[in-house]
Amino acid sequence: AVVSTQSTGVDLEPSEEMQKIIYEKQMAHLRERRERVVPAVMTEKHPRAFFGSVSAFTKLTRKAELLGLDTYVLHADSGELTDVQSSRRVDPELSVHYVKQYEMYQSKLRAALSERNTAFVKQLNHQEEEHKLQADVFELRKHLSLLQKKADKTKKQVESIWRFLNIADPQRFS
């Protein structure tokens, strides 16, 4: 099920094409990671976020790249920032806005997954209850067929007694 939010309009479930692209990027990243040697000291400069460490920022950057997002950071003047803040949809740059949007996405994704898990547990409980009810219905049908046979036997006995009484005294039992 696709869960969308009213405030941002972001779909939480990627399309099949997007999942394929993400999978391909993940595989390419894993191949590249196996082949390259990572130096112990970072050689590239990364803009530091207002909070968090450089390693957390690097991990977030890698995750965003695996998701297929553009991680190029633009340095903007304060006048340009007011335009970005006022717009409804912020381009996924690694900025404070992007981090907040990413955290919101993660929290909504966790909420959707927990809802799905509770729905799955409820479905399992309903299926178990349905199996019990089906077993009860089977037993009742079996019991009903036995009662039907007994009723038919009793009916035949009553008819034979009635016929006997009619033969014995036809005026009284007709």
Side-chain angles (χ1 to χ4, degrees):
V2 176
V3 178
S4 62
T5 60
Q6 294 176 357
S7 61
T8 61
V10 177
D11 288 339
L12 295 179
E13 182 106 1
S15 66
E16 289 181 24
E17 181 179 316
M18 194 62 166
Q19 287 177 348
K20 183 179 178 185
I21 292 171
I22 290 170
Y23 177 75
E24 289 172 358
K25 290 210 181 239
Q26 286 174 341
M27 291 298 113
H29 174 73
L30 290 175
R31 281 191 300 274
E32 179 185 323
R33 190 172 180 185
R34 277 189 225 117
E35 294 171 1
R36 73 176 174 182
V37 177
V38 179
V41 179
M42 285 181 37
T43 56
E44 299 176 11
K45 288 185 176 181
H46 290 279
R48 188 165 178 115
F50 292 121
F51 57 90
S53 65
V54 175
S55 64
F57 189 76
T58 305
K59 289 177 186 175
L60 183 63
T61 304
R62 286 185 188 149
K63 198 173 209 179
E65 287 172 353
L66 288 176
L67 290 171
L69 301 173
D70 183 20
T71 58
Y72 181 73
V73 177
L74 294 175
H75 297 283
D77 296 332
S78 61
E80 294 176 359
L81 283 178
T82 57
D83 294 337
V84 171
Q85 290 173 351
S86 65
S87 67
R88 285 185 161 218
R89 187 169 188 315
V90 177
D91 289 346
E93 308 173 329
L94 286 178
S95 61
V96 175
H97 299 291
Y98 172 73
V99 172
K100 287 181 182 177
Q101 184 180 7
Y102 181 79
E103 287 175 350
M104 183 179 67
Y105 168 79
Q106 287 294 326
S107 66
K108 289 180 181 176
L109 185 62
R110 274 188 233 107
L113 287 174
S114 70
E115 282 181 26
R116 191 181 91 191
N117 288 342
T118 55
F120 181 71
V121 168
K122 285 182 182 178
Q123 182 183 8
L124 286 177
N125 290 340
H126 288 307
Q127 286 177 352
E128 184 178 319
E129 188 177 328
E130 183 180 356
H131 288 299
K132 288 179 183 176
L133 290 174
Q134 285 177 351
D136 290 344
V137 166
F138 178 74
E139 288 296 322
L140 288 173
R141 284 186 179 162
K142 186 177 174 183
H143 189 64
L144 179 67
S145 66
L146 291 174
L147 289 176
Q148 187 69 35
K149 288 178 184 177
K150 285 183 181 179
D152 290 341
K153 185 177 179 183
T154 307
K155 183 178 177 183
K156 287 179 183 177
Q157 288 175 348
V158 167
E159 287 175 354
S160 65
I161 291 172
W162 183 259
R163 274 187 251 123
F164 176 75
L165 291 174
N166 274 336
I167 292 172
D169 193 4
Q171 291 175 351
R172 185 172 178 191
F173 296 105
S174 50

